[in-house]
Amino acid sequence: MRSFLNLLAIFVLAAAAFVSAPVETAEAGVTVKISRSSQTMRVYVGGKLRHRWRVSTGRRGYTTPSGSYRPQRLERMWHSRKYHWSPMPHSIFFRGGYAIHGTNETGRLGRRASHGCVRLSRGNARRLFGLVRKYGRGGTRIYIH
């Protein structure tokens, strides 16, 4: 009986240690927060702000959808079939045909200019793409408000 109680005590202590251990959260990965009102993107890695960039979201007549998303697909180079085969380097698709991607039209960053996608400078799109690849689609969360 005594060995059973010792074994039970060891089990209880192990369970208590497991329950009190830190839990991996979404903060351990990449969090992207896009503000349509300020046309900015903040990128957090492990819960810490790593980048703050200007973006362009949907112009009048075109909406960038609000919500919480996970990346669905990554494409190093994509061309829009819908909009004149426009290049979309380092695309992170988050809802159907909507993506975060690089643009050559950097003079428009900081104001609404897209057909609904979220545009970044090409260098920043490459950095974000690399982070999403490193932490994985499941380790990345995209918030648009």
Side-chain angles (χ1 to χ4, degrees):
M1 183 70 166
R2 181 170 232 181
S3 62
F4 173 75
L5 290 177
N6 287 340
L7 187 59
L8 182 61
I10 291 169
F11 177 76
V12 169
L13 289 173
F18 178 78
V19 170
S20 64
V23 176
E24 289 279 328
T25 66
E27 289 185 2
V30 178
T31 303
V32 178
K33 295 184 179 181
I34 300 162
S35 169
R36 295 185 309 178
S37 61
S38 68
Q39 295 294 291
T40 58
M41 172 187 291
R42 290 174 289 148
V43 179
Y44 298 83
V45 178
K48 294 183 176 151
L49 181 63
R50 174 87 57 94
H51 303 288
R52 180 181 159 89
W53 296 319
R54 291 182 310 144
V55 299
S56 288
T57 62
R59 67 180 184 240
R60 185 177 299 208
Y62 298 93
T63 302
T64 300
S66 294
S68 174
Y69 305 96
R70 290 208 185 270
Q72 296 174 342
R73 188 172 94 238
L74 300 173
E75 298 287 348
R76 189 174 303 280
M77 177 52 85
W78 191 255
H79 290 87
S80 171
R81 294 181 191 125
K82 191 171 184 179
Y83 298 110
H84 317 291
W85 295 99
S86 297
M88 299 167 58
H90 297 101
S91 290
I92 302 166
F93 287 89
F94 59 88
R95 179 179 161 191
Y98 292 99
I100 299 169
H101 63 81
T103 183
N104 290 328
E105 297 185 35
T106 56
R108 293 181 163 192
L109 294 176
R111 53 190 164 145
R112 298 172 193 267
S114 79
H115 288 105
C117 285
V118 178
R119 295 178 184 173
L120 287 168
S121 73
R122 289 180 83 121
N124 292 342
R126 184 176 51 252
R127 284 182 196 90
L128 181 61
F129 188 89
L131 286 170
V132 174
R133 286 191 69 182
K134 179 178 179 179
Y135 288 91
R137 292 180 303 168
T140 303
R141 179 67 81 178
I142 301 166
Y143 298 98
I144 303 173
H145 64 280

